[in-house]
Amino acid sequence: MEIGLLSILGIGFVLGIKHAIEPDHIIAVSTIASHTKKLWRTSLVGIFWGIGHTATLLAVGLILILTKSTLPDKWAGLLEFIVGGMLVYLGVVNWISAGKNKAELVEHQHGGERHKHFLRKGDPAHHQTSYLKSMIIGLVHGLAGSAAMVLLTMTTVHTVWNGTLYILLFGLGTIAGMLIFTTILGIPFVLSANNRSLKMTLTRITGAVSMLFGLYYMYSLGVTDGLFRMWLG
């Protein structure tokens, strides 16, 4: 493999790391990370997000590259707008979950033994972190970013095989980047795991940030960037 191509692929990996830490990505994943009690679970949230993101980029990217086409601006903008709506939804869910304070008797099984105990609603103490949810968020983000990814790939490499390698390495970069930053992001949530009041406060803050950023993102796309005019004009 030529040195020039190796350099390009290396740059793709670095750009993937940079891409992973864009605000909408970090904010979305933080809504899930806020429910974790173990740091390794937070890390897995980032990995699954990256897998979902890479899968969509690769699938949509290859289709567009093979057909030598691109997404129209109005459709690319709509997909970004959906990301904003998703951020609002994730924020609302977090805010509601943090407000459920009533204790309830829960019966479940650990290690083959069934037992009962009181657990407050919304308390993440016995809830498995939703890795599927994280992957779906990654899929949506990947779909929204596929148009820009294809343009970047087509201007960087010139064959389908090299394009595939470029997207894969870009995806590996996003997985690595999100793994690192979700692990860092998860530290305050893990440290506050035994302080319910602080934990719920952090969860509410995360939800509020996600809602506000999502609304700002949708307004910016729809009004400032003219997405509404594209669709309604």
Side-chain angles (χ1 to χ4, degrees):
M1 187 178 290
E2 298 179 0
I3 299 299
L5 179 58
L6 285 174
S7 299
I8 290 172
L9 295 177
I11 292 172
F13 181 81
V14 173
L15 288 176
I17 295 176
K18 181 177 179 292
H19 179 72
I21 60 175
E22 291 183 0
D24 57 314
H25 299 163
I26 297 296
I27 290 172
V29 174
S30 70
T31 61
I32 300 178
S34 65
H35 295 284
T36 58
K37 291 190 68 178
K38 303 290 185 182
L39 199 56
W40 64 268
R41 287 183 178 174
T42 306
S43 301
L44 281 178
V45 165
I47 291 174
F48 275 86
W49 179 92
I51 291 172
H53 186 273
T54 302
T56 310
L57 279 183
L58 186 61
V60 178
L62 285 180
I63 290 173
L64 294 176
I65 290 172
L66 287 170
T67 58
K68 300 185 184 305
S69 59
T70 58
L71 282 175
D73 289 343
K74 63 188 297 185
W75 283 102
L78 178 61
L79 292 173
E80 292 285 355
F81 191 83
I82 290 173
V83 167
M86 179 182 68
L87 289 173
V88 173
Y89 167 77
L90 291 171
V92 170
V93 170
N94 251 37
W95 189 269
I96 291 175
S97 69
K100 294 179 179 178
N101 294 314
K102 293 182 179 180
E104 61 179 354
L105 185 63
V106 176
E107 180 179 1
H108 57 181
Q109 183 170 310
H110 281 302
E113 296 182 2
R114 299 196 66 82
H115 68 279
K116 297 180 180 180
H117 62 91
F118 282 96
L119 178 69
R120 291 182 182 273
K121 292 181 180 179
D123 192 337
H126 275 68
H127 288 257
Q128 292 290 335
T129 303
S130 179
Y131 304 124
L132 177 59
K133 184 177 180 181
S134 183
M135 184 180 290
I136 291 173
I137 292 172
L139 286 168
V140 174
H141 274 130
L143 189 61
S146 59
M149 182 74 251
V150 169
L151 287 175
L152 178 62
T153 303
M154 292 176 114
T155 56
T156 305
V157 294
H158 304 290
T159 69
V160 175
W161 170 242
N162 290 344
T164 303
L165 282 178
Y166 186 86
I167 294 175
L168 281 174
L169 283 172
F170 183 93
L172 287 175
T174 62
I175 293 173
M178 189 57 82
L179 167 62
I180 294 169
F181 286 96
T182 52
T183 300
I184 296 172
L185 187 69
I187 292 174
F189 298 113
V190 171
L191 292 178
S192 65
N194 295 321
N195 186 331
R196 178 174 174 76
S197 177
L198 178 58
K199 181 81 169 181
M200 291 302 100
T201 298
L202 290 175
T203 302
R204 285 191 179 96
I205 291 173
T206 303
V209 170
S210 186
M211 282 188 286
L212 292 174
F213 187 85
L215 290 171
Y216 163 77
Y217 199 62
M218 294 166 75
Y219 176 83
S220 179
L221 286 165
V223 178
T224 307
D225 295 345
L227 180 62
F228 293 157
R229 289 196 302 272
M230 292 183 193
W231 281 94
L232 300 176

